[in-house]
Amino acid sequence: MTGKEYRTITDVKGPLVFLNKTEPVAFGEIVTLRLSNGTIKNGQVLDTSDDLVIVQVFEGTAKIDRESGVTFMGDVFKLPVSTDLVGRILDGAGRPRDGGPEIVADEKADIIGAAINPYSRQSPNDFIQTGVSAIDLCTSLVRGQKLPIFSASGLPHNDIALQIARQAKLKDSDEEFIVVFCAMGITAEEYNFFRSDLERTGALENAVLFVNLADDPAVERIITPRLALTAAEYLAFEKDYHVLVIYTDMTNYCDALRQIGAAREEVPGRRGYPGYMYTDLAMLYERAGIIKNKKGSITQFPILTMPGDDITHPIPDLSGYITEGQIVISRELHQQGIYPPINVLPSLSRLMGSCIGEKTTREDHKSVSDQMYAAYAQGRELRGLVAIVGEDALNERDKQLLDFSGVFEDKFLRQTRDEDRSIEETLDLCWTLMSAIDTKYLVRLDQKWIDKYHPDNRA
Amino acid sequence: MNNEGVIYRISGPVVTATGMNAAMYDVVRVGHEGLMGEVIELHGEKAVIQVYEDTSGIRPGEPVLNTQETLSVSLGPGLLTQIYDGIQRPLPTLEEEMGVFITRGVDADAFDLEKIWTFEPQVAVGDEVVAGQVIGHVQETETIVHKIMVPPSVSGVVKSIESGDYNVTQTICVLDNGTEMQMMQKWPVRTPRPFQQKYAPETPLITGMRILDFLFPLAKGGAAGIPGPFGSGKTVTQQSLAKYSDAQLVVYIGCGERGNEMTEVLDEFPHLIDPNTGKPLMERTVMIANTSNMPVAAREASVYTGITIAEYFRDMGYDVALMADSTSRWAEAMREISSRLEEMPGEEGYPAYLSSRIAEFYERAGRVETLNGDDGSVTVIGAVSPPGGDISEPVSQGTLRIVKVFWGLDAGLARQRHFPAINWLNSYSLYPQSLDQWFRDNISQDFPEVRTQISGLLQIESELQEIVQLVGSDALPTDQQLTLEVARMIREYFLQQNGFHDVDAYCDIHLQYQMAKAILSFQDAAKSAMASGAVLNDVVNVPARSDLMRGRFEKGYIDVIADMVKKMTDQIAETVEEN
């Protein structure tokens, strides 16, 4: 039935177009709308029956009237994929945005993507060195992991994401990642920042950009990450690349999801977000991973801004239940002028245990990480106490821990935007900083590592 | 009867068909590809179907075929060591059939129908058999004897019975009324398997986790809920239970969770040894994995598939433990389908029948007298993932109303790296009364009293901590400072347990008791020493005490703990003379 144009629109509501008297239309089918002024818009079938078809229009429904022509394309949404994608900039619907030619397709891939059979997955255990001490030590990133940045407006999450994209590599390897960058509803300014940084460092040649900006249609954001992930899957599992997918900002994606849900008059869940948001997010996040007998991998680095800095908001909450940990950015640290302002206390990497240690990073990694974390946590807690009783009331141990928490932030967390610390440098730095604390208080360090690495014993 | 209809409407996983005779919960095949679905609502001519596979590309007008059967699982030798999706398709078979990505329209047998098993009959020709009676044995794995039972609702006199090597579809027994029996039988997942009666549970499920066994024990045949926010260790706790609990069989349902987590389980389990039998864990395990991105309707079905398999093994007289991680994802699947049906929602968009479904599910747990008079149990342990960690939400509340054990995971403890992060102040177990006799008989006469003392100390600590927050610990009298030290010992030495440590991950129940006693010995020794003038700081810092505490990471601790306690109390007594 491709080619037949219907002029049977009955209702238009928000991003949705309702029409009747069609021939059987497939669920998920792609739709082209031709407006009376000649503009072409695209959409997708959300609900189909003998009587009524509901189409979600990606570019917004402005200027659509009952005379607009609707053509069903006979197929579900597919992205033309080939290695030519690398180095290109596309818009949120997959069309070239850089003035270059159309992508010549090796094949066309369904953008919804099928679930990876859990039996066919391979456990991720290759440590990725990001060169950012806080991440490498406390929330180590693993190839094939999905590790989001939980941030909030006004915080430098973009700088951190870019720094990771620039520096991320397997330890002792020069093998580079292909970066698939997916922008959803970010401002032109932010986009230019990303783009110029990628250009400056030459990373753009090894990147694919899918860009939906704040003034682009909101509904298009629903497909942008799916396009990006489809490209990533092709590059990783067909062409053996290691792919790092950065998407920003998931909050805009979820808001677009809510917008469609509201237009369909669905029963809303928490804060008006649709009840299926968990499943929907999982369909994106779960496309990270490694597959047995395939060389490539997909590592995901989603960025989301927590509305009102609230980690229990549905977006970070549902994300946290799906992703394998989170890196939390702190406004307090940022206001103290510390970059990167990563709060290691609520941050977590679930896959860290399998990727650190003697064979991959260094034998003392776990022990050092636990001790640094514990000492910092206690130091932070003491700050509250000091505010009440004053510093003089502390005993010797507490004083040392309190001082350490300041040093931790100033010397360990703080690094410059182009400072690429190797994991050995990070660990040695930890030992230097911890030597300010009396060894008898460092109860989480194994004695054998103290003997081997403590500055007092090394000189 | 007209078994064939056509599709009228498609909305995500919900498809409406017309022109077909259908009954509720009939299994249907949808579209040209024959996607599996289940009738969940009838409106006059129209049947509403939830489809277990992705529906993109399906059009109105395609055929729908009613199989007239209800959603069932296949039960028989070959279940163990398997890993299934939510509708009992083996994942390794799906990989063979459709590659590493799960596509659709593929049917797969639950287990190898051709595989030959050695059937040893347990009845003879002329014997009268009743429903549930064991007619033969099959050694399915090294540890598990699979008992072939007469299906419920069948009985008669044995006319012929075979012995030797057969596959699961060959007839191995014929009754005088003409009923033929095979080793495989089917059972509809939404119907609980029948039994004679439920007993009160009186044996604990020993898990090897100190905080669970000692403070908040779960009975074999009981039901427990583990709610907790993300990152608090729900999955690690569930996996530890699957590894170390002394159930004879384990059914593990990964319901709407992470793919990599299931992979980890799949990688790990074949290499792990069951501490109770010394055999590989996989031999007693059936796994169901329906990850968060797999079809949502199959996620809804996965918990029923799992519990039906558990009941089947229960009917053989085994103690079965079922872990469902996470029941919240199951509830969300119900919510998603309910909203597609445009049902009037209850709380937070969940369907109004949410709490009754949860109750029905947990009610399938229990210790029973089986149809054949044997004693078997299904213990259900469900993880709950409350949004934002707030357990006032409907799934947590629906669960807490029905389960008798609540293991509350706490984000604060997880952040302090206190694992298992189970909050000892708000968790509870209602089983101690019925289990105490077992503990007295099998562990020690004073077991319940020791438990009361330990939990009492923790309670006092929490009250003292409030004062400490205000005035600092130095301002407390020394006896209360000692109480704080004892409570800290309970937390750090007893409650904390490293689930990844070779030795510490599993703690024998006898050793648990000894460790609890060791803490009380410390308290008594310290009290009497301090009464004779010893200083708290000296008492706390005797070297033998830290040796005692570190000892739990060494093998053979149970053999030396008594000596270590003796050494500690001696050293504490010596601190008196120093002053």
Side-chain angles (χ1 to χ4, degrees), chain A residues 1 24-29 46-51 74-76 112 114-124 144-146 150 233 237 264 267-270 275-276 278-279 282-283 286-287 289 291-292 294 311-312 316-318 320-324 326 345-348 350-351 373 385 388-389 444, chain B residues 7-12 54-61 83 91-92 94-95 99-103 228-232 234-235 256-264 266-267 289 291-294 296 299 329 332 335-336 339-340 343 345 348-349 384-389 414-417 468-470 496:
Chain A
M1 57 226 76
V25 173
F27 178 73
E29 192 168 342
L46 277 191
D47 196 325
T48 169
S49 68
D50 289 350
D51 312 324
D75 204 352
V76 293
I112 299 299
I116 301 173
N117 187 331
Y119 181 76
S120 312
R121 279 180 185 267
Q122 188 186 317
S123 285
Q145 186 176 19
K146 39 195 180 290
F150 284 8
E233 274 171 3
F237 302 133
R264 291 186 67 185
V267 180
R270 263 203 310 157
Y276 49 79
Y278 176 83
T279 307
M283 306 261 292
E286 278 290 332
R287 288 170 85 172
I291 295 177
K292 277 183 218 159
K294 301 225 183 219
I311 201 168
T312 66
D317 192 53
L318 294 179
Y321 275 121
I322 308 166
T323 56
E324 285 137 356
Q326 65 275 341
L345 300 181
S347 299
L348 172 76
R350 290 168 186 272
L351 303 180
Y373 183 98
L385 190 63
I388 303 172
V389 299
R444 287 178 190 249
Chain B
I7 297 177
Y8 164 75
R9 177 183 172 192
I10 303 143
S11 171
D54 177 41
T55 52
S56 299
I58 309 291
R59 293 168 198 278
I83 170 156
L91 292 174
L94 294 186
E95 185 188 73
V100 294
F101 291 100
I102 294 181
T103 52
F230 63 82
S232 59
K234 277 187 301 299
T235 301
E257 290 285 305
R258 302 177 183 91
N260 279 335
E261 257 164 23
M262 286 318 294
T263 311
E264 201 183 299
L266 285 174
D267 282 353
T291 57
S292 52
N293 55 342
M294 284 158 76
V296 68
R299 192 198 305 166
R329 307 300 162 223
E332 279 162 15
R335 172 166 73 181
E336 194 168 331
S339 97
R340 300 269 185 190
E343 288 174 341
E348 292 196 20
V384 186
S385 318
R415 267 205 292 281
Q416 292 163 27
R417 298 296 191 259
V468 170
Q469 293 294 329
L470 295 175
Q496 282 191 25

Side-chain angles (χ1 to χ4, degrees), chain B residues 56-261:
Chain B
S56 299
I58 309 291
R59 293 168 198 278
E62 289 191 30
V64 178
L65 183 73
N66 188 349
T67 64
Q68 306 277 348
E69 287 172 3
T70 48
L71 185 64
S72 301
V73 287
S74 304
L75 302 166
L79 279 172
L80 292 172
T81 74
Q82 276 290 8
I83 170 156
Y84 292 116
D85 75 350
I87 47 176
Q88 217 202 7
R89 298 183 301 183
L91 292 174
T93 314
L94 294 186
E95 185 188 73
E96 273 165 39
E97 301 268 333
M98 51 194 178
V100 294
F101 291 100
I102 294 181
T103 52
R104 61 186 191 192
V106 176
D107 236 348
D109 295 318
F111 35 80
D112 190 347
L113 301 184
E114 299 305 320
K115 180 163 178 180
I116 301 295
W117 300 93
T118 305
F119 176 79
E120 298 165 27
Q122 301 291 318
V123 291
V125 173
D127 285 358
E128 196 179 331
V129 293
V130 295
Q133 188 164 343
V134 176
I135 57 168
H137 286 176
V138 170
Q139 190 73 40
E140 185 174 355
T141 64
E142 238 183 294
T143 44
I144 301 293
V145 174
H146 196 114
K147 299 174 186 167
I148 308 298
M149 296 170 292
V150 178
S153 82
V154 173
S155 60
V157 174
V158 177
K159 197 166 121 196
S160 72
I161 179 111
E162 310 294 334
S163 169
D165 294 347
Y166 293 91
N167 71 30
V168 293
T169 56
Q170 285 170 315
T171 298
I172 37 113
C173 180
V174 182
L175 300 184
D176 60 350
N177 57 18
T179 311
E180 297 185 349
M181 284 186 267
Q182 295 82 27
M183 283 194 261
M184 182 176 80
Q185 49 178 289
K186 292 204 164 207
W187 190 261
V189 297
R190 294 184 199 278
T191 314
R193 283 177 64 88
F195 50 83
Q196 298 214 24
Q197 58 168 320
K198 271 197 184 179
Y199 293 127
E202 46 198 35
T203 319
L205 182 83
I206 301 297
T207 66
M209 279 200 265
R210 290 185 287 264
I211 185 162
L212 304 189
D213 292 347
F214 202 83
L215 290 184
F216 310 110
L218 171 61
K220 283 191 177 124
I226 317 184
F230 63 82
S232 59
K234 277 187 301 299
T235 301
V236 178
T237 309
Q238 288 274 39
Q239 290 183 4
S240 288
L241 289 169
K243 287 178 202 165
Y244 303 125
S245 71
D246 68 345
Q248 289 159 303
L249 278 128
V250 169
V251 178
Y252 190 93
I253 310 172
C255 174
E257 290 285 305
R258 302 177 183 91
N260 279 335
E261 257 164 23

Side-chain angles (χ1 to χ4, degrees), chain B residues 50 107 183 278 298 372 378 400 466 570:
Chain B
Q50 63 173 348
D107 236 348
M183 283 194 261
N372 57 33
V378 174
L400 290 182
E466 283 174 24
D570 289 350

Side-chain angles (χ1 to χ4, degrees), chain A residues 140-444:
Chain A
S140 310
L141 179 64
V142 192
R143 201 151 71 176
Q145 186 176 19
K146 39 195 180 290
L147 189 63
I149 298 184
F150 284 8
S151 186
S153 29
L155 298 179
H157 41 264
N158 292 340
D159 299 66
I160 298 172
L162 274 170
Q163 185 167 5
I164 290 165
R166 266 197 317 269
Q167 299 178 350
K169 57 173 177 288
L170 281 194
K171 191 170 166 273
D172 306 323
S173 142
D174 291 329
E175 204 177 348
E176 285 200 7
F177 284 96
I178 296 271
V179 175
V180 172
F181 177 79
C182 169
M184 292 168 286
I186 63 171
T187 61
E189 203 176 317
E190 282 176 294
Y191 163 60
N192 287 333
F193 172 73
F194 269 105
R195 189 183 153 165
S196 60
D197 191 90
L198 290 170
E199 259 171 4
R200 178 175 64 83
T201 56
L204 198 57
E205 287 164 30
N206 273 327
V208 193
L209 277 60
F210 289 88
V211 183
N212 167 286
L213 296 184
D215 57 351
D216 288 333
V219 180
E220 193 180 86
R221 276 163 219 163
I222 300 296
I223 56 168
T224 311
R226 295 188 159 80
L227 296 171
L229 287 165
T230 305
E233 274 171 3
Y234 173 78
L235 294 169
F237 302 133
E238 302 287 329
K239 298 294 168 192
D240 297 342
Y241 288 107
H242 293 292
V243 182
L244 182 67
V245 182
I246 299 177
Y247 26 85
T248 180
D249 175 332
M250 284 309 286
T251 306
N252 294 333
Y253 171 83
C254 294
D255 285 349
L257 211 58
R258 176 165 67 175
Q259 196 180 335
I260 293 167
R264 291 186 67 185
E265 297 178 3
E266 289 168 346
V267 180
R270 263 203 310 157
R271 303 242 184 145
Y273 292 97
Y276 49 79
M277 194 158 87
Y278 176 83
T279 307
D280 193 279
L281 288 173
M283 306 261 292
L284 302 178
Y285 294 140
E286 278 290 332
R287 288 170 85 172
I290 311 177
I291 295 177
K292 277 183 218 159
N293 304 322
K294 301 225 183 219
K295 288 202 187 97
S297 65
I298 296 180
T299 309
Q300 288 189 17
F301 225 70
I303 299 171
L304 59 88
T305 48
M306 300 183 281
D309 294 10
D310 176 10
I311 201 168
T312 66
H313 184 279
I315 299 171
D317 192 53
L318 294 179
S319 296
Y321 275 121
I322 308 166
T323 56
E324 285 137 356
Q326 65 275 341
I327 294 170
V328 181
I329 311 287
S330 148
R331 190 174 299 282
E332 187 196 333
L333 289 171
H334 179 61
Q335 280 164 349
Q336 289 169 33
I338 289 165
Y339 174 88
I342 295 171
N343 185 356
V344 298
L345 300 181
S347 299
L348 172 76
S349 167
R350 290 168 186 272
L351 303 180
M352 181 170 168
S354 62
C355 81
I356 61 169
E358 191 180 349
K359 293 199 186 90
T360 47
T361 54
R362 207 168 81 180
E363 54 196 0
D364 57 333
H365 189 154
K366 170 119 190 35
S367 195
V368 170
S369 173
D370 287 351
Q371 183 61 65
M372 289 285 284
Y373 183 98
Y376 179 59
Q378 286 167 13
R380 282 274 296 243
E381 218 168 276
L382 287 166
R383 284 182 197 174
L385 190 63
V386 166
I388 303 172
V389 299
E391 206 164 320
D392 293 341
L394 296 185
N395 60 28
E396 184 53 32
R397 172 178 174 272
D398 288 354
K399 269 187 199 136
Q400 290 187 5
L401 288 171
L402 179 70
D403 290 344
F404 175 79
S405 72
V407 174
F408 182 94
E409 289 167 1
D410 191 46
K411 296 279 187 328
F412 173 75
L413 286 185
R414 191 197 295 279
Q415 63 188 91
T416 61
R417 283 168 170 74
D418 47 15
E419 188 176 352
D420 189 356
R421 293 187 193 152
S422 74
I423 182 68
E424 287 81 8
E425 283 169 335
T426 294
L427 288 169
D428 288 344
L429 174 67
C430 294
W431 281 104
T432 309
L433 300 179
M434 285 190 299
S435 64
I437 304 176
D438 209 324
T439 316
K440 70 173 180 237
Y441 302 136
L442 299 173
V443 289
R444 287 178 190 249

